[in-house]
Amino acid sequence: LTISGLLQAIYIFPFGLQRKMNLYYVIIVSVNIVMNLLLIYFFGTIGAIISSVFAEFLLATILFIQARKDIDVWHIFKTSVKYLIASVGMLAIMLTVSKFVNTSLIVKVVLEFLCGVCSYFLLCFIMADRFVLTQTKRILSRIFKKKEI
């Protein structure tokens, strides 16, 4: 889920602003196309990544500016700090695995994925994220459920 996706779900659609959203998409797609033409030529795949991330950031910024008039968007960001920290930690672990594991591409991707998922949930657990703690308790209670005689 992206920030722009979240803002669309909690602001654009409930407030009936789909027409504005269509305009925003035209702007973002246009910017993305121009940036892709320039950056892919000079940087290849990395240029496409930069263009896509910038376009997503631009859309999130436009939606944030639009939504802050009607809803407390800062509250959303404040409650997302744990997830941002866990995401950065997950990225660091995935990059480390990618750098030091010398194996076939498929095995490397699977290891990165597994390490990323495990590290993300572990970091959320360490930061006492309510959702992760609740789900962990639920899963553990099912695993260690006492069998009736």
Side-chain angles (χ1 to χ4, degrees):
L1 181 66
T2 62
I3 292 172
S4 64
L6 177 64
L7 289 172
Q8 287 176 59
I10 65 169
Y11 179 68
I12 295 295
F13 299 123
F15 281 73
L17 301 172
Q18 288 86 346
R19 284 185 174 229
K20 272 192 177 182
M21 192 66 221
N22 292 338
L23 173 64
Y24 299 155
Y25 276 134
V26 168
I27 293 168
I28 298 307
V29 168
S30 301
V31 168
N32 198 10
I33 289 170
V34 171
M35 286 185 69
N36 272 323
L37 291 173
L38 296 171
L39 295 177
I40 291 174
Y41 178 78
F42 291 106
F43 303 109
T45 306
I46 299 297
I49 293 168
I50 292 168
S51 176
S52 296
V53 169
F54 179 79
E56 178 61 35
F57 176 77
L58 183 59
L59 179 59
T61 302
I62 290 169
L63 292 176
F64 175 77
I65 290 168
Q66 177 69 39
R68 71 187 171 105
K69 299 171 190 168
D70 297 311
I71 60 175
D72 184 10
V73 178
W74 284 114
H75 176 72
I76 296 167
F77 290 112
K78 285 187 257 179
T79 59
S80 301
V81 171
K82 288 180 186 178
Y83 303 113
L84 179 62
I85 293 169
S87 297
V88 170
M90 174 186 71
L91 175 63
I93 289 170
M94 291 175 72
L95 289 174
T96 303
V97 169
S98 179
K99 184 175 182 175
F100 292 110
V101 172
N102 294 321
T103 186
S104 71
L105 183 60
I106 290 290
V107 172
K108 192 175 198 175
V109 169
V110 169
L111 282 173
E112 288 175 14
F113 174 77
L114 292 174
C115 289
V117 169
C118 292
S119 62
Y120 181 83
F121 284 107
L122 180 62
L123 289 168
C124 285
F125 185 82
I126 291 169
M127 291 185 288
D129 177 66
R130 189 179 326 153
F131 175 77
V132 172
L133 291 175
T134 302
Q135 295 308 313
T136 303
K137 287 178 186 175
R138 191 171 144 227
I139 291 168
L140 290 175
S141 71
R142 285 185 178 177
I143 291 172
F144 297 112
K145 190 175 184 179
K146 292 184 180 181
K147 294 182 180 180
E148 295 181 26
I149 302 177

